[in-house]
Amino acid sequence: MTTQTTPATGLSLNDSSGRQQLQATLSDYVTFLRRQPAVCGTPEQQEALIKHVAQGHDLIKLVAAERLKITRQLDQQKHEWMELEKEMTAPILAAMQPLKDAVEHYNRELLRVREHQQTEAAQQASLAKPGETNWLTPEVALVAKPKGVQMRWTFDILDPNQVPNGYWVIDETAIKADIANGVREIPGVRIYEEGITTFRS
């Protein structure tokens, strides 16, 4: 059985008549394919089925080509708008950066002082006897966490040779997943909280 292998001219996704013609061509070919027996036992059958599949791929490529005629133009327009957006917002981002850097520096310094205070408090607690007050080193209130700072657990690799096999290549995704699930000690890895500043009005 032969097929109508050459699509009619005027097929298009861009106008209604061309789209209807294209849809009709595709529907006719699907109907034709569904009538074909999916049997391949001879070289002739193999050749015929290969030909039918190749024609189907050609129709798929035709639809893709028609789509590209439209989307390439849209992609170009999108690219131009995105470039215009970058041009308009780049000065704002550049002007904000020193302010963000100043806030980040301030927040890092406060977090450093806070971490030092926590370390000192832990050392004092380990030296103090139960129920005893140490008058020489009175308790000091911790510096408040800076406004807009969220703490999250993260890590640095200290010694790759000590990292367990489960984290090789080193698998940072696996490390992050375990940290998210509460793991706080992995040999060869320093797990710690870092401050992430959020800027909200």
Side-chain angles (χ1 to χ4, degrees):
M1 179 183 284
T2 59
T3 63
Q4 301 168 356
T5 60
T6 305
T9 57
L11 304 183
S12 170
L13 289 175
N14 211 14
D15 65 87
S16 59
S17 63
R19 189 164 48 251
Q20 288 172 359
Q21 191 177 351
L22 179 57
Q23 186 62 58
T25 300
L26 300 176
S27 296
D28 289 348
Y29 197 70
V30 168
T31 302
F32 166 79
L33 287 178
R34 288 180 176 157
R35 284 196 217 120
Q36 304 309 306
V39 176
C40 186
T42 67
E44 292 79 17
Q45 288 173 329
Q46 181 211 35
E47 184 179 345
L49 294 182
I50 289 173
K51 182 179 177 184
H52 299 336
V53 171
Q55 291 169 351
H57 282 300
D58 288 343
L59 285 173
I60 291 169
K61 289 177 185 175
L62 173 65
V63 175
E66 290 301 315
R67 188 260 307 162
L68 283 171
K69 290 178 186 176
I70 301 166
T71 56
R72 277 196 182 121
Q73 183 179 0
L74 295 175
D75 288 343
Q76 180 59 36
Q77 291 173 352
K78 177 183 174 183
H79 176 73
E80 290 169 2
W81 282 111
M82 289 173 68
E83 287 302 311
L84 180 60
E85 176 190 13
K86 286 180 187 176
E87 288 175 20
M88 295 176 77
T89 58
I92 299 170
L93 293 171
M96 286 192 311
Q97 195 58 50
L99 308 181
K100 292 173 72 174
D101 290 345
V103 171
E104 290 278 7
H105 177 75
Y106 173 80
N107 288 348
R108 278 195 303 271
E109 185 59 22
L110 280 185
L111 290 172
R112 186 191 64 75
V113 170
R114 182 180 167 89
E115 183 179 359
H116 177 72
Q117 289 177 331
Q118 288 173 326
T119 302
E120 289 286 319
Q123 288 175 350
Q124 289 176 15
S126 67
L127 296 174
K129 295 177 183 174
E132 184 179 279
T133 302
N134 187 342
W135 299 104
L136 298 177
T137 53
E139 289 186 14
V140 178
L142 287 178
V143 170
K145 189 171 63 172
K147 183 179 179 182
V149 171
Q150 298 173 348
M151 302 305 290
R152 74 173 181 189
W153 288 99
T154 187
F155 66 93
D156 289 330
I157 302 297
L158 300 178
D159 183 355
N161 295 322
Q162 293 184 34
V163 177
N165 291 349
Y167 300 111
W168 289 0
V169 164
I170 288 171
D171 191 346
E172 293 193 5
T173 301
I175 294 174
K176 288 177 182 175
D178 280 358
I179 290 172
N181 289 324
V183 173
R184 296 294 176 260
E185 289 185 13
I186 299 171
V189 178
R190 180 173 75 98
I191 300 174
Y192 61 97
E193 281 187 300
E194 71 175 0
I196 305 300
T197 302
T198 56
F199 294 88
R200 296 189 181 115
S201 52

